[in-house]
Each structure stands twice: as structure tokens, then as C-alpha cells.
Amino acid sequence: MAQQQQTLDAVTSTDIDSPTLPGEMDYEAVLQESDISLTPPTVADGVPDRVLSVLVRADWGHFRRIDRTVTKQTYRIIPRTTVAGLLAAIVGAPRDSYYQTFGSDVSAIAITPAGGIRTQTMSTLGVWTNFGERTRSVGASGRSNSATVKWPPTTTDRQRHPYEFLHDPVYRLDIAVEDEEFYRALAAHLTAGKTHYTPSLGLSECLAAVTFLGENDVKQDPKSDDGQLSIASIYPGSIDQTVPRSGVSYHVERTPKTMQRNSGGRTTESFADYVYTTREALDDNERSIAPNHGDVAIPTNASVIVEEDRTNAPLGQIDDRVVAFL
């Protein structure tokens, strides 16, 4: 399919109380003027027939590990639940309203890191901001028009916390959702180059740029000639299914995969374990994260090599890239 590329600029919006999408544009009209399909993709056994592809990058990123307390360490790979929140922000979906849209049986996401993965630790100074405790006040002279101003103490109760940040993180996301309304809203926003809320990579300070790479067909059940598959994305499987490579280190992470809504807001429903690499692709395997876009000169990370007869992950092929879907 014809490729489109558009860098997204955030548009000003107000808070949404309705559980439905804001409908700030005519989704169908936008898509009819493009080469993007009006119908959502179909996900079968975890593999979609089509995906919307985007490139997300920022100067800094932070996805706080849920198993850490004092030191604010970050996941190296953007969690699937964070991807869902990022896409919900683009279309303007209210908080806690989109978890079913990204259920494992009705959606699929492939995450491909690029440009290497580097981290940097910084110290941040935290100030107590709980106005219900330890506040100081001034005013209230007793007159009817007097006012009391309260503020937290800023000279005491300060704490210095080390934060681990990702430096220049870049991810390619290949996304499929069967929810027709959400799909049309997402495709229309990406095509029009608009976002409802400002996208970020984790913390709100880590503002992100989103580049639309178009809609792509997915080839089902990719095969290899030598019995080994080169997976460009992260691989949701066991590290003992991988083939060791000279000069490449495999790493494993466990992050939240799906969320569900409850009376208190939300809770994690399932987790994903996956294998990934942190260095850029080797000389004999180096290729752009967006091979059909010459102006995106970002090399993909080194591939994860797996034994074809031992893998049970949902795999698909997009152009010349084999990816695994979460």
C-alpha cells in the first residue's frame, strides 16, 4: 500500500468526561482522501492482516519499573500498556476507557527498538506537595474579605531521587486494533497529522515526536531457508529459543501487557516476557527502521535470531522485516 509520512503536532484540547471519543474531525472523510482503509484489521491467533506503522522518538524517556521503589529505574522497552496509553492520547480517549480495545484477542502490537538503547541516571529534587499535610499559611486576619494562603514548605522535607532515563529512545510500533471506532480515529489522526493530547514517552516531561509510516500489509507465517528466523522486533518468548550471536547480547524484560478496569480505576491483567537487544544492527544486517522512507535514517537494533521449529510466538512479515506481536 502507498506509504504516508506525517509528523504529528499536538492540538489544544479540553478534558473529556464522555466515555466516547471526542469526534473532533470527520474520520471517514479524512480516510477517504488517503490510501488508508476504512475497515479495521482482523487479528487471528495474535497476527493481524494489516497494521498502522508509526515511529516514536524523544530526547528522553522513562517507563518506571513497577518492581523498584527508591531508585526510579526504567524499562528499556516501552511497555505494551504504555503504547496503548500513547495511542489513546492521540485520539483523545478518556482515562480507563480503552483497556478492552487493547485486549490480547482483539489487538496486536509489534515493538521494534532502534538506534541502540542507552540510559543515563540523573538526580532530581523532590518537594513535598501534599497540601493536606505539613502546610504553612498566612493571612486570615478575621475580616470577611480576608484570605488564607497555604503552601507546602520548600526549605525542608526535600528529597533527592535518582532517576534513570532512556537517552534518545526510538521505537517503531506496528499496531492493529479491531475496534472500528478507535481504528478510524487513530488512522484519521495519524493521516491528518494531529493529536488530541501531547504524546510523551512515559513522563509528561519526555515529549515525543510521532511519525506516521503508513498502513502496511502483514504476511502470515513467515518461513526461513535455514531454519532460523531473524526477528527485527522484540521477541515474546524464552531466551533458550534464541540463537547466540557474536557481538550481540540478549536481554529479557517482564512488563505489563494488558490492563482491566475496576472500581478503583485499573489493574494489570497480564504481563509479557520478551527478549530484546540493546545495540544497533551489525554491519551485515544493518537496515533502516523504516526501509521505505529514505528520510528516516535510523538503524534498527540487532535482530533476535530464533529457531523456527521452536518458536510459538505470533509472527508476521512486514515488507522485509519479520516481527513478533504482543
Side-chain angles (χ1 to χ4, degrees):
M1 292 185 180
Q3 302 290 321
Q4 295 185 1
Q5 179 171 328
Q6 186 72 27
T7 299
L8 305 185
D9 299 315
V11 295
T12 304
S13 63
T14 57
D15 292 336
I16 306 172
D17 295 324
S18 172
T20 59
L21 299 181
E24 58 197 13
M25 67 175 72
D26 188 338
Y27 305 143
E28 185 171 342
V30 172
L31 296 180
Q32 285 178 340
E33 295 178 359
S34 69
D35 295 321
I36 308 301
S37 174
L38 284 170
T39 59
T42 300
V43 179
D45 297 325
V47 181
D49 58 350
R50 287 177 288 110
V51 291
L52 298 173
S53 301
V54 299
L55 192 70
V56 184
R57 45 188 162 179
D59 293 333
W60 302 98
H62 178 83
F63 313 113
R64 182 178 174 180
R65 293 177 61 100
I66 62 175
D67 55 350
R68 299 294 187 269
T69 55
V70 178
T71 302
K72 309 299 191 297
Q73 290 185 308
T74 180
Y75 292 114
R76 269 49 177 176
I77 305 298
I78 181 172
R80 189 183 191 276
T81 52
T82 305
V83 173
L86 173 66
L87 301 177
I90 290 177
V91 303
R95 180 182 175 90
D96 300 331
S97 68
Y98 53 88
Y99 304 140
Q100 289 186 340
T101 300
F102 288 93
S104 298
D105 56 341
V106 293
S107 67
I109 300 173
I111 303 173
T112 306
I117 298 178
R118 296 174 293 275
T119 61
Q120 181 174 335
T121 301
M122 304 181 194
S123 292
T124 61
L125 190 62
V127 179
W128 190 268
T129 57
N130 189 337
F131 284 86
E133 301 178 18
R134 288 183 275 181
T135 58
R136 297 178 181 179
S137 60
V138 66
S141 63
R143 297 179 180 178
S144 59
N145 61 349
S146 63
T148 300
V149 178
K150 292 186 177 182
W151 72 95
T154 57
T155 57
T156 59
D157 296 325
R158 295 190 176 198
Q159 293 185 344
R160 189 175 294 277
H161 298 283
Y163 270 80
E164 184 182 51
F165 286 90
L166 295 163
H167 182 47
D168 291 331
V170 182
Y171 303 98
R172 172 171 173 156
L173 309 175
D174 296 297
I175 309 139
V177 291
E178 290 188 342
D179 185 298
E180 183 174 9
E181 182 183 8
F182 193 97
Y183 164 80
R184 288 189 175 188
L186 178 61
H189 277 81
L190 294 174
T191 301
K194 300 294 183 182
T195 68
H196 192 81
Y197 296 111
T198 303
S200 64
L201 287 186
L203 298 178
S204 59
E205 297 88 344
C206 303
L207 302 182
V210 181
T211 303
F212 186 36
L213 303 177
E215 186 176 44
N216 294 282
D217 292 324
V218 179
K219 179 182 177 182
Q220 310 287 320
D221 195 24
K223 300 293 183 181
S224 65
D225 297 330
D226 58 359
Q228 296 181 351
L229 289 171
S230 178
I231 311 298
S233 67
I234 62 175
Y235 175 71
S238 174
I239 198 169
D240 61 9
Q241 297 173 350
T242 62
V243 179
R245 303 179 60 191
S246 176
V248 177
S249 297
Y250 292 146
H251 304 266
V252 178
E253 270 189 340
R254 178 180 174 85
T255 61
K257 180 181 179 182
T258 58
M259 307 284 286
Q260 64 180 357
R261 186 173 183 174
N262 58 25
S263 58
R266 59 184 178 179
T267 185
T268 302
E269 184 179 40
S270 64
F271 290 84
D273 297 277
Y274 50 80
V275 182
Y276 67 98
T277 65
T278 57
R279 62 159 294 168
E280 294 181 3
L282 303 177
D283 293 341
D284 62 349
N285 193 35
E286 188 165 350
R287 54 182 180 270
S288 171
I289 191 67
N292 293 330
H293 298 267
D295 53 344
V296 181
I298 302 175
T300 184
N301 278 20
S303 300
V304 177
I305 307 299
V306 299
E307 296 284 358
E308 184 177 348
D309 59 354
R310 297 188 62 194
T311 181
N312 56 2
L315 304 178
Q317 183 170 338
I318 304 173
D319 297 324
D320 64 340
R321 305 168 57 252
V322 177
V323 298
F325 291 95
L326 298 174

